[in-house]
Amino acid sequence: MAASEGRFRRWRWPAVGLAVVLVLGVGAYVGFQRLRPYLHGTSCEVHTSLGNQTLDVDQAANAATIAGVAFRKQLPERAAVIAYATAYQESRLTNLAGGDRDSVGMFQQRPSQGWGSPEKLRDPVQSTSKFFDALVKVKDYLDLDLHDAAQEVQRSADGTAYAQHEDLGKLLAAGFTGRELAAVRCWYPPNREVPERRADAIRELRRTFGSRLRVLTAAQGSPAPAADAVKVGTRRSGWAVAAWAVTHAKAFGLREVRFDGRRWTSHAGHDGWTQDDGAKADRVVIR
């Protein structure tokens, strides 16, 4: 009896120690999983075969807007490349309230030169539309060197400066126009989330991309009222819409985007696009 008790005591304390370690380990893992969304801060990333580019959320939202307006105007990817290089040189893709003399907005357009009112030029959708409207009037703009095409529109002091951002423009265009799939992700801590304004997001999405985007009703296959679904004609346009939704999620309180076998969620935004076999390729679901 004494011998068996001794053996029990010898094994009891290691077993207790192992149990304690397991409990602590599980607790640490659960704690880490809860803290993880707070550890990465707030940012966006474009990951393409041309490289990676980190942007802040506002820059990424503006980049997605450029792609959306290019889609609405049915412009080729090269037009978007020129717009990205121009906007990055002028404002680092930031919607500036002011600038040199009376320049305003992402493209630093000047009301005194006939671009429009300051209020309109501070609207990324309208300023991008005005840039593209001027660009397509440039003869053979698709065949010109990028800095020459941009300078014909901008008439800046040093037009050659646009050339240094051509590679970045190509990278952003590959991701935001949807040519490379699931290329854009954004993340921010849960305490930065705002109340959901999904209806406002859908209206802004359609203002950017145009009326060719159709919002599906519940009878047409939308999972409404919990979410909206936007019908898309191609995978490329779908990924451009998905990128817009992800980059605008923080502003409109969106929690989830699903498309083409992938899913992005705000609480795990840093993980990017994860597998979702139920996500269809003909509609972008936004919740």
Side-chain angles (χ1 to χ4, degrees):
M1 189 73 175
S4 63
E5 286 185 4
R7 286 194 297 271
F8 172 75
R9 288 171 181 171
R10 284 197 300 270
W11 285 103
R12 181 179 61 181
W13 294 114
V16 170
L18 178 60
V20 170
V21 169
L22 288 174
V23 169
L24 290 175
V26 170
Y29 175 78
V30 171
F32 173 75
Q33 290 299 107
R34 289 179 177 176
L35 284 174
R36 194 161 69 97
Y38 296 89
L39 300 178
H40 299 295
T42 301
S43 193
C44 296
E45 183 182 58
V46 188
H47 177 75
T48 75
S49 60
L50 300 175
N52 302 336
Q53 179 66 37
T54 299
L55 301 171
D56 66 34
V57 173
D58 289 338
Q59 288 176 311
N62 289 331
T65 294
I66 289 174
V69 175
F71 174 86
R72 170 161 52 85
K73 293 180 175 293
Q74 302 184 59
L75 298 176
E77 185 174 328
R78 179 65 176 175
V81 173
I82 297 169
Y84 285 129
T86 303
Y88 200 82
Q89 171 61 30
E90 295 290 353
S91 70
R92 294 298 188 267
L93 283 171
T94 301
N95 191 26
L96 299 177
D100 179 48
R101 286 170 283 191
D102 61 337
S103 298
V104 296
M106 186 163 45
F107 292 93
Q108 287 292 277
Q109 295 150 329
R110 298 181 60 191
S112 63
Q113 293 183 344
W115 282 101
S117 69
E119 292 74 23
K120 289 183 177 180
L121 298 180
R122 292 189 189 101
D123 176 353
V125 174
Q126 294 195 57
S127 64
T128 301
S129 293
K130 289 177 178 292
F131 177 85
F132 281 138
D133 288 345
L135 179 64
V136 298
K137 293 176 183 177
V138 176
K139 184 178 179 181
D140 299 323
Y141 78 92
L142 293 175
D143 299 320
L144 296 177
D145 288 339
L146 182 144
H147 64 276
D148 288 331
Q151 177 65 354
E152 285 294 315
V153 175
Q154 297 294 104
R155 301 293 182 180
S156 67
D158 181 10
T160 62
Y162 300 114
Q164 64 186 314
H165 306 300
E166 182 165 3
D167 288 344
L168 175 61
K170 291 178 178 178
L171 186 159
L172 296 178
F176 282 102
T177 68
R179 179 165 58 80
E180 297 203 17
L181 313 182
V184 180
R185 61 175 179 148
C186 293
W187 60 91
Y188 46 91
N191 62 346
R192 296 295 181 88
E193 291 181 347
V194 300
E196 178 200 294
R197 295 189 296 120
R198 193 172 71 247
D200 292 338
I202 294 297
R203 280 192 291 271
E204 185 66 11
L205 174 65
R206 296 192 77 230
R207 187 172 78 94
T208 303
F209 281 79
S211 58
R212 282 183 295 156
L213 290 185
R214 185 163 58 94
V215 179
L216 300 178
T217 65
Q220 295 167 324
S222 171
D228 287 300
V230 179
K231 186 77 171 177
V232 294
T234 64
R235 291 177 80 198
R236 181 168 187 170
S237 63
W239 280 112
V241 169
W244 186 97
V246 166
T247 58
H248 287 78
K250 183 173 179 290
F252 289 101
L254 307 178
R255 304 293 186 256
E256 179 182 56
V257 183
R258 302 174 64 209
F259 177 63
D260 193 22
R262 305 285 186 91
R263 175 175 178 258
W264 173 91
T265 63
S266 61
H267 75 268
H270 194 266
D271 294 341
W273 292 92
T274 57
Q275 185 172 345
D276 180 358
D277 294 335
K280 298 181 179 181
D282 67 342
R283 66 200 61 186
V284 180
V285 175
I286 299 171
R287 182 175 69 84

